[in-house]
Amino acid sequence: MRINIDLNNYENLLKLKAGDSCLLNGIIYTARDAAHKRLDQLIKNGEKLPFDMKDFNVYYAGPTPAKEGEIIGSCGPTTSARMDKFTPYFISLGQRVMIGKGERSDEVIEACKKYKAVYFCATGGAGALLSLSVKSSEVIAFPELGCESIKKMTIENFPVVVGIDTK
């Protein structure tokens, strides 16, 4: 049985356990390597971010362009470990949800426990299927990065498994 999770209800995240199968609903932001580097620079330079880092839900993905009549192209997860050098700091600023694939560093695991964040694993190789859960998508930052720009997406029944819980 899958647990329906409203990403706007933080209390739901605190009850999850590693291995739980979930359907996510709410707002997420795509961000891969290049976007994380840019966000880190904005923060270090004291510049305004394109969204509020508090309760930031990130999907490590670089969706392909939409075909005519579609909201988004293929939207599969990328390897999360590539963002590990930024993640503990971003979690300390309020990031609460990460979606990606693969293992995470000990530092990310400790940050999840300390700041009560959750890492969800999405199925790699299923980008076309995952794109069906995307109900809206708009580029909100770094359009020059193309597929790796930051997109704000609304998702419904996005299938994931809890990889790291808050405990």
Side-chain angles (χ1 to χ4, degrees), residues 20-133:
D20 284 347
S21 181
C22 301
L23 295 171
L24 302 182
N25 298 280
I27 303 293
I28 59 174
Y29 297 88
T30 62
R32 287 178 49 133
D33 316 48
H36 273 70
K37 186 174 182 178
R38 293 266 190 98
L39 290 171
D40 189 56
Q41 282 302 311
L42 289 175
I43 293 166
K44 286 179 179 171
N45 294 337
E47 297 178 46
K48 184 172 175 19
L49 295 176
F51 48 78
D52 186 355
M53 188 62 80
K54 185 179 178 327
D55 301 327
F56 172 50
N57 304 314
V58 65
Y59 180 30
Y60 303 132
T64 61
K67 294 179 183 170
E68 189 174 327
E70 295 180 352
I71 295 169
I72 200 158
S74 182
C75 190
T78 195
T79 303
S80 302
R82 293 200 314 264
M83 274 54 74
D84 281 4
K85 65 183 173 184
F86 305 105
T87 301
Y89 180 57
F90 287 6
I91 290 172
S92 78
L93 296 176
Q95 178 177 307
R96 294 292 169 250
V97 168
M98 299 149 287
I99 307 165
K101 69 178 182 182
E103 295 181 14
R104 304 308 300 267
S105 68
D106 290 341
E107 292 80 14
V108 170
I109 293 168
E110 289 306 311
C112 285
K113 291 191 294 190
K114 180 175 181 178
Y115 297 103
K116 306 299 182 202
V118 177
Y119 172 56
F120 292 101
C121 298
T123 302
L129 179 63
L130 292 171
S131 71
L132 298 176
S133 293

